[in-house]
């Protein structure tokens, strides 16, 4: 069981870990030991996450979200399988915690009358400058 916040915990059945050989640091150890970790979190079926949190998590996950509604995270940064497991679990917790924060609603505002007037005056002045750049007519 993994604790995200005081009210949200992820049960063991929601997580699946698989291990594979990793590229990167490790020397000849790379060819022998499966140190890379792939963590699969069944987010869509998770009873502890609300619908809004799931939709925000789907948007944050991007390509890591599967069609079945699972979130897949991978880590092969270190030579240690245990450390890679800790890193990938920390990433999952951070991702879920960022999905818990509801975005602030933007309030549309109108430009002030003074700013509209200044913008139109600047456009008029610029138009005057450009119109004076034309060819001089022969009279």
């Amino acid at each position: 069981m993994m604790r995200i916040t005081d009210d949200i915990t992820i049960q063991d059945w929601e997580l699946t870990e698989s291990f594979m050989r990793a590229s990167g640091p490790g020397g000849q150890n790379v060819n022998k030991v499966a140190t890379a970790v792939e963590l699969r979190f069944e987010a869509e079926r998770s009873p502890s996450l609300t619908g809004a949190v799931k939709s925000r998590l789907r948007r944050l996950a991007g390509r890591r979200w599967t069609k079945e509604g699972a979130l897949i995270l991978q880590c092969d940064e270190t030579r240690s399988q245990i450390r890679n497991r800790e890193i990938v679990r920390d990433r999952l917790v951070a991702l879920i915690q960022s999905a818990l924060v509801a975005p602030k609603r933007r309030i549309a505002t109108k430009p002030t009358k003074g700013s509209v007037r200044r913008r139109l005056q600047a456009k008029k002045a610029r138009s005057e400058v450009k119109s004076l750049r034309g060819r001089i007519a022969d009279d």
Side-chain angles (χ1 to χ4, degrees):
M1 188 168 77
M2 189 180 351
R3 181 172 298 282
I4 306 297
T5 62
D6 292 336
D7 351 325
I8 298 175
T9 55
I10 295 175
Q11 303 301 321
D12 292 333
W13 65 267
E14 300 176 69
L15 298 174
T16 309
E17 288 179 336
S18 58
F19 304 98
M20 60 208 106
R21 291 187 184 148
S23 60
Q28 291 186 4
N29 198 44
V30 169
N31 301 327
K32 296 183 248 174
V33 183
T35 56
V37 180
E38 181 180 273
L39 181 72
R40 182 181 177 95
F41 170 52
E42 300 296 335
E44 199 63 49
R45 296 184 357 207
S46 177
S48 56
L49 300 178
T50 63
V53 172
K54 287 177 188 178
S55 65
R56 285 194 294 268
L57 186 62
R58 182 182 306 116
R59 187 175 38 79
L60 287 171
R63 288 184 3 212
R64 297 175 290 190
W65 190 273
T66 65
K67 291 179 183 176
E68 298 86 36
L71 176 64
I72 297 178
L73 300 173
Q74 294 179 338
C75 180
D76 62 348
E77 293 177 9
T78 67
R79 295 173 64 167
S80 167
Q81 186 185 82
I82 296 166
R83 182 69 188 121
N84 283 336
R85 282 182 72 192
E86 291 172 1
I87 291 170
V88 81
R89 284 173 175 257
D90 290 343
R91 284 183 192 165
L92 177 64
V93 170
L95 198 62
I96 294 173
Q97 285 176 343
S98 62
L100 289 173
V101 178
K104 209 167 136 185
R105 220 172 130 245
R106 184 186 178 278
I107 299 170
T109 57
K110 285 177 132 178
T112 63
K113 286 186 179 182
S115 67
V116 170
R117 189 174 22 82
R118 285 189 299 273
R119 182 179 63 86
L120 293 176
Q121 282 176 344
K123 284 180 73 151
K124 196 175 221 176
R126 189 74 186 145
S127 171
E128 184 68 28
V129 167
K130 287 191 169 193
S131 68
L132 292 175
R133 285 188 191 157
R135 291 182 181 256
I136 299 172
D138 292 332
D139 288 334

